[in-house]
Amino acid sequence: MTDHWPGSTPSQTVGPYLHLGLLWPDGPDVVPPGTPGEIWLRGQIFDGAGAPVVDALVESWQADPDGRFDHPDDPRGAVRPTVAGFRGFGRSATDATGAYAIRTVKPGPLPGPDGVTEAPHLDLSVFARGLLHRLVTRLYFPDEPAANATDPVLAGLDPARRPTLVARPAPDGFRFDIHLQGEHETVFFAV
Amino acid sequence: MTNFTERGPTGLLLPRYRPDGDRTHPPLLSPEYGSTVLRAPSRPLALLPQRLTEITGPLLGADRLGPLDHDLTRQHEDEPLGQRIIVHGQVRDGDGRPVPGTLVEVWQPNAAGRYRHAVDNWPAPLDPNFTGVGRTLTDADGRYRFVTVQPGAYPWRNHLNAWRPAHIHFSLFGRAFTQRLVTQMYFPGDPLFFQDPIFNSIPDPAARQRLVSRYDHSVSEPEWALGYEFDLVLRGRESTPFEDGDDDDD
């Protein structure tokens, strides 16, 4: 890979005061409150000592339930989502217990350039004091065992670590804890 | 030249974003910055192929902006204390193409180096006329502009006599999930760079200098404000077509 002038701007940590600049009142709402089929994705973030990370921010990005993006670079064409008010994007800071929450609807499966279908998933970014660059992970759904079994991204991972990317059922949606480090460390990606 | 470099049996043709190389961004484990020790993943990152979710991203618009979000000096009844500055620049990708319409979010401490935040309790004065939060969208040429005050340096407890160089936090979305960037803008000639493990965590000294803004006298306004220019570069797209199978979808 050759170097391309002028080179990317390096990443830096959000620091402990990210809430000032990055919180929106509707940040957690990928879909508006009361949307039919809405689910909550909730979880806690833990550090290598097992302590909750209370100054983190999670961002999510996903397809709509039809597996489409309202984006000009989707080669199938940008389409307006069938779910009213669907933004595709969510952000939630963690609270005093390290917990975040995203209100959304389940994404649909996605076609791939290689003909392999991707299981429904969200891309997540984690920002925090002590993270000099965001961490990227993916959230998959536990009620999609067949799709998950053939997902090309999961298939590229050590089978023992794949379960760290699969959420667990919860009363109002799904639970997805993120372990930054240690025995239960979540799989993080270079994108 | 094409931006679209991946074709397969389903007919999908996807743009791909070039990796930044391993000396541009700080290593996640940078022990001189103590908070990384328990937070950096201990295992190597897995390679995530760039598929539909990665080559798209939130295209947020003017509904994210309030009328005075671009001028941090006019958000309160009176003007904040401190040296008024104009910070402007252009957002481009690695091929020099402007990135228009991207949301730029900034936050910073006041002129005394204190953030208006519940957990910032070092004894520098708060300024009732300064919150330190701004937002804007880049224009058709990828340009942005904020009016604010020069942020102060402040102490932290990372090491003995540790002080953060004056900085403004920046957050940008670009047009794809791959281009998401959060960074910090610094000021030229800051005497605190030598002892700051966050600034110095960037391995390549040339890349590090890309976070230092430039004093811009052409933007300084007489009797009113000093100008600084801070350009940002998000990841560029591949311009060389890849053949099927010669890829990272594994």
Side-chain angles (χ1 to χ4, degrees):
Chain A
M1 191 64 58
T2 54
D3 284 332
H4 295 267
W5 184 89
S8 293
T9 302
S11 173
Q12 294 271 266
T13 178
V14 291
Y17 310 120
L18 63 106
H19 316 83
L20 276 174
L22 295 178
L23 284 200
W24 302 338
D26 64 348
D29 297 336
V30 177
V31 294
T35 296
E38 87 175 21
I39 54 173
W40 281 96
L41 306 178
R42 302 180 191 274
Q44 282 171 283
I45 304 182
F46 299 99
D47 71 11
V53 179
V54 302
D55 50 8
L57 180 87
V58 176
E59 290 185 347
S60 67
W61 174 244
Q62 64 171 99
D64 73 12
D66 300 316
R68 300 301 292 259
F69 295 94
D70 188 7
H71 192 284
D73 290 344
D74 186 326
R76 301 166 296 171
V79 293
R80 304 288 294 178
T82 51
V83 176
F86 178 85
R87 191 172 65 200
F89 175 74
R91 61 166 41 157
S92 168
T94 55
D95 65 13
T97 67
Y100 70 91
I102 303 276
R103 180 203 312 270
T104 188
V105 288
K106 243 181 96 173
L110 299 177
D114 43 14
V116 176
T117 299
E118 288 183 272
H121 65 271
L122 293 87
D123 276 7
L124 302 180
S125 300
V126 181
F127 301 87
R129 173 179 62 86
L131 292 181
L132 285 160
H133 201 340
R134 68 168 170 167
L135 293 177
V136 169
T137 188
R138 272 189 171 196
L139 181 158
Y140 288 87
F141 294 88
D143 54 350
E144 299 279 354
N148 291 344
T150 56
D151 181 83
V153 174
L154 286 174
L157 303 175
D158 175 355
R161 300 195 64 208
R162 287 176 204 162
T164 70
L165 301 188
V166 181
R168 290 181 281 137
D172 59 354
F174 297 93
R175 180 170 180 90
F176 185 71
D177 290 337
I178 297 171
H179 296 265
L180 301 182
Q181 199 184 82
E183 185 186 357
H184 305 292
E185 185 172 311
T186 303
V187 171
F188 297 106
F189 293 100
V191 59
Chain B
M1 187 174 99
T2 176
N3 295 325
F4 295 87
T5 57
E6 197 176 326
R7 188 198 298 276
T10 58
L12 288 184
L13 198 60
L14 305 184
R16 276 168 45 92
Y17 289 82
R18 285 193 300 273
D20 284 326
D22 58 9
R23 289 178 55 77
T24 297
H25 299 292
L28 288 162
L29 180 61
S30 297
E32 296 289 305
Y33 172 22
S35 297
T36 67
V37 173
L38 280 175
R39 294 186 168 191
S42 54
R43 294 174 171 87
L45 302 182
L47 186 63
L48 182 62
Q50 295 175 20
R51 303 174 74 100
L52 283 166
T53 314
E54 289 74 38
I55 59 98
T56 56
L59 301 175
L60 301 157
D63 62 331
R64 290 285 122 203
L65 306 180
L68 292 176
D69 282 1
H70 64 288
D71 189 340
L72 288 70
T73 69
R74 292 169 58 208
Q75 296 171 352
H76 298 276
E77 188 172 346
D78 289 314
E79 291 213 59
L81 295 173
Q83 172 66 60
R84 195 184 293 108
I85 61 173
I86 296 163
V87 178
H88 77 110
Q90 189 180 26
V91 182
R92 288 170 295 172
D93 70 16
D95 300 307
R97 276 186 293 254
V99 181
T102 192
L103 181 65
V104 182
E105 296 170 288
V106 296
W107 69 103
Q108 65 168 88
N110 66 25
R114 184 153 174 199
Y115 288 88
R116 182 170 291 282
H117 190 287
V119 306
D120 187 355
N121 53 13
W122 89 281
L126 281 169
D127 184 337
N129 293 307
F130 193 71
T131 302
V133 177
R135 295 193 175 89
T136 192
L137 291 171
T138 56
D139 68 12
D141 295 322
R143 296 191 179 279
Y144 73 90
R145 183 180 189 272
F146 289 106
V147 180
T148 181
V149 296
Q150 168 77 37
Y154 58 87
W156 59 316
R157 294 181 176 143
N158 185 74
H159 55 278
L160 183 65
N161 206 11
W163 293 78
R164 289 303 327 280
H167 62 277
I168 299 175
H169 293 267
F170 271 71
S171 164
L172 294 94
F173 285 90
R175 65 184 276 137
F177 183 81
T178 57
Q179 285 187 318
R180 181 84 177 92
L181 178 72
V182 172
T183 190
Q184 300 180 20
M185 173 195 124
Y186 298 90
F187 291 85
D190 196 310
L192 295 170
F193 287 144
F194 79 96
Q195 56 80 66
D196 183 54
I198 294 178
F199 178 71
N200 290 305
S201 64
I202 298 160
D204 178 1
R208 207 178 298 156
Q209 290 306 315
R210 293 200 286 272
L211 294 188
V212 182
S213 57
R214 183 181 74 85
Y215 172 68
D216 187 352
H217 199 62
S218 73
V219 165
S220 294
E221 296 197 9
E223 318 280 330
W224 195 69
L226 293 176
Y228 287 90
E229 181 181 43
F230 181 55
D231 293 335
L232 294 115
V233 179
L234 306 179
R235 290 169 61 177
R237 297 197 204 187
E238 292 286 4
S239 53
T240 307
F242 278 70
E243 297 301 324
D244 288 349
D246 183 19
D247 213 309
D248 59 5
D249 286 350
D250 53 18

